[in-house]
């Protein structure tokens, strides 16, 4: 499976740029494919390399890393990477949704509600979330 990798949500022609570094793109795609196959630890290994050689402000690598730790039930590590992704790009819904799931699992109602409100604010139709 091949994925195009974009930098961040923004004005389409000004901010969304496709990365041309083939090693970075291949490692990211490998990590995504390992994740899809359920090999979360393998994906983490690839993502560690992505974080070393990739652009420092590429939020999606942090979001994907956080998701792998979520799948491994390591919520502390997951939360760390997801928050980093959101810090880099507050519109990273991938990270926000995973963080919401963590808060729900940890019964952190206030944090879950705040995250759900942010998701609704940025994308009201996403996964059928409704404002309460």
């Amino acid at each position: 499976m091949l994925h195009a990798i974009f930098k961040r949500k923004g004005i389409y022609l000004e901010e969304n740029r496709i990365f041309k570094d083939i090693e970075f793109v291949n490692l990211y795609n490998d990590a995504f494919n390992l994740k899809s196959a359920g090999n979360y630890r393998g994906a983490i290994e690839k993502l560690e390399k992505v974080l070393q050689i990739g652009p420092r402000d590429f939020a999606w690598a942090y979001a994907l890393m956080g998701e792998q730790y979520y799948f491994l039930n390591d919520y502390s590590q997951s939360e760390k990477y997801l928050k980093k992704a959101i810090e880099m790009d507050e519109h990273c819904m991938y990270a926000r949704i995973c963080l919401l799931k963590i808060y729900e699992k940890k019964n952190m109602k206030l944090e879950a509600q705040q995250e759900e409100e942010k998701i609704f604010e940025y994308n009201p139709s996403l996964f059928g979330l409704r404002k309460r």
Side-chain angles (χ1 to χ4, degrees), residues 98-111:
C98 195
L99 192 57
L100 172 62
K101 290 178 185 178
I102 290 172
Y103 291 153
E104 289 173 342
K105 281 191 178 273
K106 292 170 73 175
N107 202 29
M108 298 170 69
K109 294 178 183 181
L110 177 61
E111 291 83 352

Side-chain angles (χ1 to χ4, degrees), residues 6-126:
F6 294 93
K7 194 166 183 176
R8 70 172 51 193
K9 184 175 183 174
I11 300 168
Y12 182 72
L13 293 176
E14 292 179 21
E15 290 190 34
N16 289 335
R17 295 181 291 272
I18 296 177
F19 295 119
K20 295 183 176 159
D21 181 347
I22 194 69
E23 182 182 6
F24 161 71
V25 172
N26 286 339
L27 284 168
Y28 186 82
N29 283 330
D30 289 347
F32 201 92
N33 291 334
L34 287 166
K35 171 214 128 161
S36 296
N39 184 350
Y40 310 123
R41 292 194 190 285
I44 287 170
E45 289 177 18
K46 295 288 184 181
L47 288 166
E48 286 172 346
K49 293 176 185 171
V50 167
L51 293 176
Q52 289 174 1
I53 68 167
R56 298 286 171 235
D57 64 343
F58 183 54
W60 280 84
Y62 289 91
L64 191 58
M65 180 73 95
E67 184 188 43
Q68 303 325 291
Y69 282 110
Y70 171 81
F71 288 139
L72 294 171
N73 298 316
D74 186 342
Y75 301 136
S76 175
Q77 279 292 91
S78 179
E79 200 172 335
K80 177 180 101 174
Y81 283 101
L82 296 169
K83 285 181 176 180
K84 180 73 173 171
I86 293 167
E87 177 185 312
M88 295 174 143
D89 180 1
E90 66 181 22
H91 294 271
C92 186
M93 292 298 107
Y94 195 71
R96 287 194 177 280
I97 291 168
C98 195
L99 192 57
L100 172 62
K101 290 178 185 178
I102 290 172
Y103 291 153
E104 289 173 342
K105 281 191 178 273
K106 292 170 73 175
N107 202 29
M108 298 170 69
K109 294 178 183 181
L110 177 61
E111 291 83 352
Q113 180 182 357
Q114 290 170 339
E115 206 54 54
E116 188 174 295
E117 287 173 2
K118 280 292 187 187
I119 293 167
F120 183 81
E121 177 185 338
Y122 294 135
N123 193 340
S125 64
L126 192 61

